[in-house]
PDB file of all heavy atoms in Angstrom:
ATOM      1  N   PRO A  42      -9.590  -9.078   8.081  1.00  0.00           N
ATOM      2  CA  PRO A  42      -9.726 -10.507   7.661  1.00  0.00           C
ATOM      3  C   PRO A  42     -10.232 -10.780   6.141  1.00  0.00           C
ATOM      4  O   PRO A  42     -10.545 -11.957   5.762  1.00  0.00           O
ATOM      5  CB  PRO A  42     -10.994 -10.966   8.562  1.00  0.00           C
ATOM      6  CG  PRO A  42     -11.735  -9.828   8.886  1.00  0.00           C
ATOM      7  CD  PRO A  42     -10.750  -8.670   8.809  1.00  0.00           C
ATOM      8  N   TRP A  93      -2.524 -16.125  10.957  1.00  0.00           N
ATOM      9  CA  TRP A  93      -4.042 -16.093  10.652  1.00  0.00           C
ATOM     10  C   TRP A  93      -4.090 -15.985   9.077  1.00  0.00           C
ATOM     11  O   TRP A  93      -4.956 -16.693   8.462  1.00  0.00           O
ATOM     12  CB  TRP A  93      -4.750 -15.012  11.361  1.00  0.00           C
ATOM     13  CG  TRP A  93      -6.157 -15.116  11.295  1.00  0.00           C
ATOM     14  CD1 TRP A  93      -7.011 -15.641  12.247  1.00  0.00           C
ATOM     15  CD2 TRP A  93      -7.147 -14.673  10.240  1.00  0.00           C
ATOM     16  NE1 TRP A  93      -8.391 -15.552  11.789  1.00  0.00           N
ATOM     17  CE2 TRP A  93      -8.379 -14.981  10.544  1.00  0.00           C
ATOM     18  CE3 TRP A  93      -6.859 -14.092   8.918  1.00  0.00           C
ATOM     19  CZ2 TRP A  93      -9.470 -14.689   9.757  1.00  0.00           C
ATOM     20  CZ3 TRP A  93      -7.953 -13.811   8.096  1.00  0.00           C
ATOM     21  CH2 TRP A  93      -9.227 -14.093   8.480  1.00  0.00           C
ATOM     22  N   LYS A 216     -17.626  -1.619  11.039  1.00  0.00           N
ATOM     23  CA  LYS A 216     -18.017  -2.940  10.473  1.00  0.00           C
ATOM     24  C   LYS A 216     -16.638  -3.767  10.281  1.00  0.00           C
ATOM     25  O   LYS A 216     -16.686  -4.976  10.604  1.00  0.00           O
ATOM     26  CB  LYS A 216     -18.600  -2.715   9.145  1.00  0.00           C
ATOM     27  CG  LYS A 216     -19.101  -3.971   8.422  1.00  0.00           C
ATOM     28  CD  LYS A 216     -19.917  -3.523   7.092  1.00  0.00           C
ATOM     29  CE  LYS A 216     -20.256  -4.809   6.391  1.00  0.00           C
ATOM     30  NZ  LYS A 216     -20.834  -4.417   5.046  1.00  0.00           N
ATOM     31  N   VAL A 217     -15.591  -3.147   9.906  1.00  0.00           N
ATOM     32  CA  VAL A 217     -14.376  -3.951   9.746  1.00  0.00           C
ATOM     33  C   VAL A 217     -13.706  -4.242  11.120  1.00  0.00           C
ATOM     34  O   VAL A 217     -13.293  -5.323  11.261  1.00  0.00           O
ATOM     35  CB  VAL A 217     -13.393  -3.163   8.799  1.00  0.00           C
ATOM     36  CG1 VAL A 217     -12.082  -3.886   8.613  1.00  0.00           C
ATOM     37  CG2 VAL A 217     -14.055  -2.864   7.510  1.00  0.00           C
ATOM     38  N   ALA A 218     -13.781  -3.275  11.999  1.00  0.00           N
ATOM     39  CA  ALA A 218     -13.248  -3.531  13.343  1.00  0.00           C
ATOM     40  C   ALA A 218     -13.962  -4.708  13.965  1.00  0.00           C
ATOM     41  O   ALA A 218     -13.386  -5.530  14.665  1.00  0.00           O
ATOM     42  CB  ALA A 218     -13.389  -2.239  14.180  1.00  0.00           C
ATOM     43  N   SER A 219     -15.325  -4.781  13.877  1.00  0.00           N
ATOM     44  CA  SER A 219     -16.053  -5.832  14.445  1.00  0.00           C
ATOM     45  C   SER A 219     -15.722  -7.155  13.782  1.00  0.00           C
ATOM     46  O   SER A 219     -15.532  -8.183  14.490  1.00  0.00           O
ATOM     47  CB  SER A 219     -17.603  -5.632  14.194  1.00  0.00           C
ATOM     48  OG  SER A 219     -17.940  -4.476  14.851  1.00  0.00           O
ATOM     49  N   ALA A 220     -15.558  -7.181  12.432  1.00  0.00           N
ATOM     50  CA  ALA A 220     -15.157  -8.426  11.757  1.00  0.00           C
ATOM     51  C   ALA A 220     -13.800  -8.949  12.122  1.00  0.00           C
ATOM     52  O   ALA A 220     -13.505 -10.145  12.232  1.00  0.00           O
ATOM     53  CB  ALA A 220     -15.150  -8.168  10.244  1.00  0.00           C
ATOM     54  N   ILE A 221     -12.859  -7.998  12.492  1.00  0.00           N
ATOM     55  CA  ILE A 221     -11.493  -8.301  12.932  1.00  0.00           C
ATOM     56  C   ILE A 221     -11.630  -9.278  14.226  1.00  0.00           C
ATOM     57  O   ILE A 221     -11.064 -10.317  14.346  1.00  0.00           O
ATOM     58  CB  ILE A 221     -10.688  -7.112  13.204  1.00  0.00           C
ATOM     59  CG1 ILE A 221     -10.310  -6.390  11.970  1.00  0.00           C
ATOM     60  CG2 ILE A 221      -9.482  -7.476  14.094  1.00  0.00           C
ATOM     61  CD1 ILE A 221      -9.545  -5.038  12.079  1.00  0.00           C
ATOM     62  N   ILE A 222     -12.509  -8.856  15.109  1.00  0.00           N
ATOM     63  CA  ILE A 222     -12.650  -9.506  16.388  1.00  0.00           C
ATOM     64  C   ILE A 222     -13.464 -10.870  16.147  1.00  0.00           C
ATOM     65  O   ILE A 222     -13.053 -11.854  16.567  1.00  0.00           O
ATOM     66  CB  ILE A 222     -13.427  -8.640  17.459  1.00  0.00           C
ATOM     67  CG1 ILE A 222     -12.564  -7.425  17.731  1.00  0.00           C
ATOM     68  CG2 ILE A 222     -13.710  -9.402  18.723  1.00  0.00           C
ATOM     69  CD1 ILE A 222     -13.229  -6.240  18.371  1.00  0.00           C
ATOM     70  N   GLU A 223     -14.485 -10.732  15.391  1.00  0.00           N
ATOM     71  CA  GLU A 223     -15.393 -11.961  15.186  1.00  0.00           C
ATOM     72  C   GLU A 223     -14.646 -12.987  14.433  1.00  0.00           C
ATOM     73  O   GLU A 223     -14.919 -14.234  14.644  1.00  0.00           O
ATOM     74  CB  GLU A 223     -16.654 -11.519  14.366  1.00  0.00           C
ATOM     75  CG  GLU A 223     -17.663 -10.800  15.191  1.00  0.00           C
ATOM     76  CD  GLU A 223     -18.633 -10.067  14.196  1.00  0.00           C
ATOM     77  OE1 GLU A 223     -18.676 -10.236  13.057  1.00  0.00           O
ATOM     78  OE2 GLU A 223     -19.347  -9.148  14.807  1.00  0.00           O
ATOM     79  N   ARG A 224     -13.793 -12.612  13.506  1.00  0.00           N
ATOM     80  CA  ARG A 224     -13.077 -13.702  12.749  1.00  0.00           C
ATOM     81  C   ARG A 224     -11.876 -14.240  13.499  1.00  0.00           C
ATOM     82  O   ARG A 224     -11.131 -15.109  12.930  1.00  0.00           O
ATOM     83  CB  ARG A 224     -12.644 -13.050  11.327  1.00  0.00           C
ATOM     84  CG  ARG A 224     -13.856 -12.677  10.495  1.00  0.00           C
ATOM     85  CD  ARG A 224     -14.521 -13.872   9.887  1.00  0.00           C
ATOM     86  NE  ARG A 224     -13.611 -14.752   9.078  1.00  0.00           N
ATOM     87  CZ  ARG A 224     -13.313 -14.451   7.787  1.00  0.00           C
ATOM     88  NH1 ARG A 224     -13.936 -13.421   7.134  1.00  0.00           N
ATOM     89  NH2 ARG A 224     -12.555 -15.179   7.077  1.00  0.00           N
ATOM     90  N   GLY A 225     -11.534 -13.728  14.586  1.00  0.00           N
ATOM     91  CA  GLY A 225     -10.521 -14.229  15.494  1.00  0.00           C
ATOM     92  C   GLY A 225      -9.062 -13.697  15.334  1.00  0.00           C
ATOM     93  O   GLY A 225      -8.091 -14.216  15.742  1.00  0.00           O
ATOM     94  N   LEU A 226      -9.082 -12.554  14.724  1.00  0.00           N
ATOM     95  CA  LEU A 226      -7.796 -11.722  14.696  1.00  0.00           C
ATOM     96  C   LEU A 226      -7.721 -10.933  16.003  1.00  0.00           C
ATOM     97  O   LEU A 226      -8.703 -10.670  16.692  1.00  0.00           O
ATOM     98  CB  LEU A 226      -7.809 -10.749  13.480  1.00  0.00           C
ATOM     99  CG  LEU A 226      -7.457 -11.355  12.223  1.00  0.00           C
ATOM    100  CD1 LEU A 226      -7.966 -10.517  11.077  1.00  0.00           C
ATOM    101  CD2 LEU A 226      -6.013 -11.487  12.068  1.00  0.00           C
TER     102      LEU A 226
END
Side-chain angles (χ1 to χ4, degrees):
W93 190 101
K216 187 175 174 183
V217 180
S219 299
I221 288 171
I222 297 165
E223 282 160 18
R224 296 284 301 276
L226 279 158

